[in-house]
Amino acid sequence: MTSMPTYQPHWVREDFIDFIGEKIHPTWAFKKVKAAIMGIQAISPDFFKIHLRPNHNFKARSFQAGQHIAVTIRLDGVRHQRYYSVVTVLKNGDLIIAVKQQGKVSRALSQMQIGAVIEISQPQGDFILQNSSQPTLFLASGSGITAIYSLLQKAVIQSLEQIDLIYFTRDDAFHAELKTLALMHPNLKYHHFNTREQQQHLNQRLLQKLVPDVAERKIYACGSAGMMKAALRIVEKLDLKSNFHSEYFQIVVDEKIKAQPVQFLRSQQVFQAQSNLLESAENSGLRPAHGCRMGICNTCSCTKVSGSVRNVLTGEVDHGNNTQIKLCISQAMSPVVINL
């Protein structure tokens, strides 16, 4: 005869401890990483450095240049989460992120009061410097300069090899810092293009003119969809994909693809998908779980039962059944059924 399971109460509840801790100090928490905003500095009309002071739960020593954190804030009673690259972690454990006002969360974050408290994650992501003795090439545009600048600061210190940075920008964010870095480190060559003043974008001819030995370089790229697509075309044509490392921050769908019906199987919901699957679902009033909205985390990962979807970052098309996709970077190319 088997005994019936008995109820075992949780003598210590984390949420209760956090509630009491907040009364003592706004950043105190049992396990959560909370951070107070210590300063906000404009580096262009819509781009801001934000100085954060995290609580004792933040693992500053685990940070590697190029990584990002998830930032969670509450707007109108709803929790929103976005991912931001870390510019640097200071010696006292404080950190600097850079936020471009590209949506309501970023706008709200850049307008918060000094002393406001937000929730953040531990450092995460694998867009970090690889162990290599090869010379390096960095490609950046727009707010992608945040991650690239973080990598660059480490690269110029640890490398004696040639380093080149090609930066396309409309607002010259970090331009002064980059010029100073190039003056301090003779192994860094800085190629700056203000696209408001010069109609210049990344192409193979420009790349091979600026960096003739590009085939010998480790390449790190982060930026707008246009630059990233151009970079991918070039590395594929020159057979350099094994040396290419990238991080995306902007999702752009193919507007030539017609809207397709998408069915969430378990919830018995059907909607038309014109943009990526996450945005299309939200526009239809659905609320699937999500995190970064950039294909970095796996929060919106789910099983595609049937149908064809296009990865808007890589252009790859998945025709298979029962395959894993991420809603935020998937665009329907046919009727699609998803196990949600």
Side-chain angles (χ1 to χ4, degrees):
M1 183 176 179
T2 59
S3 60
M4 294 292 291
T6 58
Y7 172 67
Q8 295 182 344
H10 294 281
W11 295 109
V12 180
R13 287 185 54 179
E14 183 180 333
D15 56 349
F16 178 72
I17 294 175
D18 288 351
F19 175 77
I20 298 299
E22 285 178 358
K23 306 302 180 184
I24 302 170
H25 191 279
T27 63
W28 200 95
F30 185 49
K31 293 181 180 178
K32 290 180 181 178
V33 182
K34 294 184 178 182
I37 296 177
M38 305 303 294
I40 299 177
Q41 175 192 355
I43 52 178
S44 80
D46 63 349
F47 209 171
F48 299 83
K49 283 184 182 178
I50 300 181
H51 181 166
L52 300 175
R53 177 159 295 165
N55 64 14
H56 65 285
N57 293 324
F58 184 67
K59 299 176 182 177
R61 292 184 180 179
S62 72
F63 169 73
Q64 297 185 67
Q67 290 188 309
H68 55 266
I69 58 169
V71 172
T72 302
I73 63 174
R74 190 177 294 275
L75 296 176
D76 300 323
V78 179
R79 283 166 58 89
H80 296 267
Q81 187 177 82
R82 296 291 183 273
Y83 284 66
Y84 299 99
S85 295
V86 176
V87 177
T88 189
V89 172
L90 305 178
K91 290 182 178 180
N92 67 349
D94 288 6
L95 61 149
I96 309 293
I97 62 173
V99 174
K100 194 174 183 68
Q101 292 182 334
Q102 298 181 114
K104 64 180 182 180
V105 175
S106 295
R107 187 172 299 277
L109 186 59
S110 64
Q111 296 174 347
M112 283 187 167
Q113 297 293 317
I114 303 303
V117 174
I118 59 175
E119 185 178 334
I120 66 174
S121 72
Q122 300 293 352
Q124 53 192 273
D126 55 8
F127 188 59
I128 58 177
L129 288 178
Q130 308 295 309
N131 291 324
S132 173
S133 59
Q134 290 177 254
T136 307
L137 168 63
F138 294 102
L139 301 172
S141 68
S143 58
I145 190 59
T146 307
I148 293 296
Y149 181 52
S150 178
L151 289 175
L152 190 61
Q153 291 177 94
K154 182 176 181 181
V156 294
I157 295 172
Q158 73 176 31
S159 176
L160 298 176
E161 299 292 334
Q162 179 63 42
I163 300 169
D164 283 70
L165 166 65
I166 303 176
Y167 177 32
F168 302 92
T169 174
R170 293 167 59 88
D171 53 23
D172 282 349
F174 290 99
H175 179 47
E177 292 95 328
L178 293 166
K179 286 197 299 182
T180 301
L181 203 62
L183 288 172
M184 293 172 59
H185 299 276
N187 60 328
L188 170 60
K189 187 178 292 185
Y190 176 35
H191 312 276
H192 165 253
F193 296 94
N194 185 307
T195 55
R196 290 184 184 273
E197 300 171 359
Q198 303 168 265
Q199 294 301 311
Q200 180 64 66
H201 300 283
L202 182 65
N203 57 56
Q204 184 176 336
R205 179 179 296 179
L206 175 70
L207 182 58
Q208 293 183 310
K209 177 184 176 182
L210 298 177
V211 189
D213 64 342
V214 63
E216 308 301 321
R217 303 291 185 110
K218 280 286 185 183
I219 305 172
Y220 298 85
C222 185
S224 65
M227 190 204 75
M228 296 302 290
K229 287 179 180 178
L232 280 169
R233 285 196 299 268
I234 294 168
V235 299
E236 287 175 356
K237 186 173 182 180
L238 299 179
D239 194 24
L240 303 177
K241 290 195 75 172
S242 62
N243 284 337
F244 185 69
H245 307 276
S246 63
E247 182 156 275
Y248 298 85
F249 69 92
Q250 187 177 19
I251 306 301
V252 178
V253 299
D254 186 345
E255 296 182 355
K256 297 177 183 177
I257 299 175
K258 295 181 179 179
Q260 300 291 335
V262 175
Q263 179 185 3
F264 281 0
L265 193 62
R266 284 183 284 128
S267 57
Q268 298 184 332
Q269 301 287 338
V270 178
F271 58 92
Q272 291 292 115
Q274 178 67 64
S275 57
N276 66 67
L277 295 179
L278 176 59
E279 287 186 0
S280 297
E282 291 177 329
N283 291 339
S284 299
L286 304 178
R287 294 292 178 265
H290 64 275
C292 65
R293 309 179 79 93
M294 299 186 296
I296 297 173
C297 73
N298 288 305
T299 308
C300 68
S301 181
C302 56
T303 301
K304 174 175 65 70
V305 178
S306 63
S308 299
V309 297
R310 173 179 172 271
N311 184 312
V312 298
L313 298 182
T314 66
E316 295 180 65
V317 178
D318 179 353
H319 298 292
N321 295 334
N322 297 311
T323 57
Q324 289 296 115
I325 63 170
K326 297 178 182 180
L327 295 178
C328 67
I329 57 170
S330 297
Q331 181 179 11
M333 299 185 67
S334 74
V336 173
V337 178
I338 296 172
N339 188 28
L340 280 178

